[in-house]
Amino acid sequence: MTASGSPSSPRTARSKRLPRHAARAPAKVTGPARRRSQAERSDESEIRLLEAAARVIEGEGFAAATFDRIGELAGYSRGLASAKFGSKDGLVRAVIAFVQRRLEARTTAALAMLDRPDATELILSWTDTLLEVVQTDELVRAYFVMMAVAVGNRADNRPAFLDAHEQVRVRLRDLIEAGQASGTISAKVDADATALSIGSLQLGIAVELLLDPTLDIGRMRATARQAVRGMLGI
């Protein structure tokens, strides 16, 4: 009905409706998805293979880390894993470097949270963070599994682990010497021997955690901090 009471015509009623296409949002025009470069695809496949290798080593043991098993877990062929690493020794060295980068990223992020830390705070935080990462990151624990195998078998790749430990020793030594220069660490402390002792303390706790996953790592971290403070003479 119209306002005057006369019926409206069918044409008038239809003319007040919106056309169907008016209610639809305009189609969004998007360009084609960017194709990843060969280098990007290669980097992704290498990371997936390294993560798979570390998981196999930590969870199933070093002997289980065959190229077949690694490729299967990563979703690639055995041939790709073999091409990437070449040999079991090449795999070990690649995983060591991968774990070092992963650990460095975690510790760097933790240290960045500190507000103008001095050398002592950096050493304590670095020690604490490393033990936390060993507890929570299965990929990092794979490093210690491989190290135990290398020592037990007197493997030729032992120098790769020594090189990694040397980097830690130098980093800690430099921090100790910086603390001595600023007066926050006793000048009587042997910077080089103390750096090696701190690294050895962390190494021992990490290996013990592999042997006993029920280890109360919280208590060990607290005790390690006290031990490191004593080593630094503070």
Side-chain angles (χ1 to χ4, degrees):
M1 301 287 291
T2 64
S4 60
S6 59
S8 57
S9 67
R11 178 176 295 181
T12 303
R14 282 196 301 267
S15 66
K16 294 180 181 179
R17 297 173 185 170
L18 289 174
R20 284 188 175 185
H21 63 79
R24 298 174 184 172
K28 186 177 181 180
V29 179
T30 58
R34 186 181 72 87
R35 296 186 62 183
R36 292 180 300 166
S37 66
Q38 177 63 34
E40 289 173 326
R41 292 194 298 272
S42 178
D43 288 345
E44 180 188 2
S45 64
E46 182 169 352
I47 290 173
R48 286 174 58 180
L49 286 167
L50 286 169
E51 288 179 343
R55 287 195 171 93
V56 172
I57 292 168
E58 196 276 338
E60 304 174 30
F62 185 70
T66 64
F67 289 144
D68 282 333
R69 180 72 180 104
I70 293 168
E72 175 190 12
L73 188 61
Y76 296 113
S77 67
R78 178 194 189 282
L80 182 60
S82 178
K84 286 286 186 182
F85 307 123
S87 65
K88 203 68 175 285
D89 183 63
L91 169 66
V92 169
R93 293 179 182 277
V95 173
I96 289 175
F98 170 70
V99 169
Q100 282 183 306
R101 293 193 299 270
R102 191 178 181 90
L103 185 59
E104 181 68 21
R106 291 284 297 274
T107 54
T108 298
L111 297 181
M113 301 285 289
L114 300 176
D115 184 22
R116 297 183 180 180
D118 58 23
T120 300
E121 291 174 313
L122 287 173
I123 294 170
L124 291 172
S125 180
W126 186 84
T127 301
D128 192 57
T129 301
L130 185 142
L131 293 177
E132 179 188 13
V133 172
V134 170
Q135 179 193 23
T136 59
D137 194 329
E138 63 179 345
L139 304 186
V140 171
R141 289 197 296 274
Y143 172 89
F144 299 97
V145 175
M146 293 190 304
M147 184 193 69
V149 171
V151 172
N153 294 334
R154 301 192 66 79
D156 293 337
N157 57 26
R158 283 177 296 165
F161 294 93
L162 286 174
D163 290 344
H165 296 173
E166 176 66 7
Q167 293 179 36
V168 173
R169 184 189 66 80
V170 170
R171 179 176 183 176
L172 289 171
R173 184 199 63 197
D174 291 348
L175 285 172
I176 293 170
E177 291 177 345
Q180 290 174 321
S182 65
T184 58
I185 296 176
S186 171
K188 297 179 180 180
V189 170
D190 184 331
D192 198 57
T194 301
L196 184 58
S197 297
I198 294 173
S200 298
L201 172 66
Q202 296 171 322
L203 191 61
I205 295 174
V207 172
E208 184 65 26
L209 183 62
L210 292 180
L211 293 170
D212 181 11
T214 66
L215 185 70
D216 188 343
I217 198 69
R219 289 176 60 193
M220 297 305 300
R221 286 165 59 187
T223 302
R225 287 178 65 89
Q226 293 176 356
V228 171
R229 292 180 69 88
M231 293 180 195
L232 299 176
I234 56 176

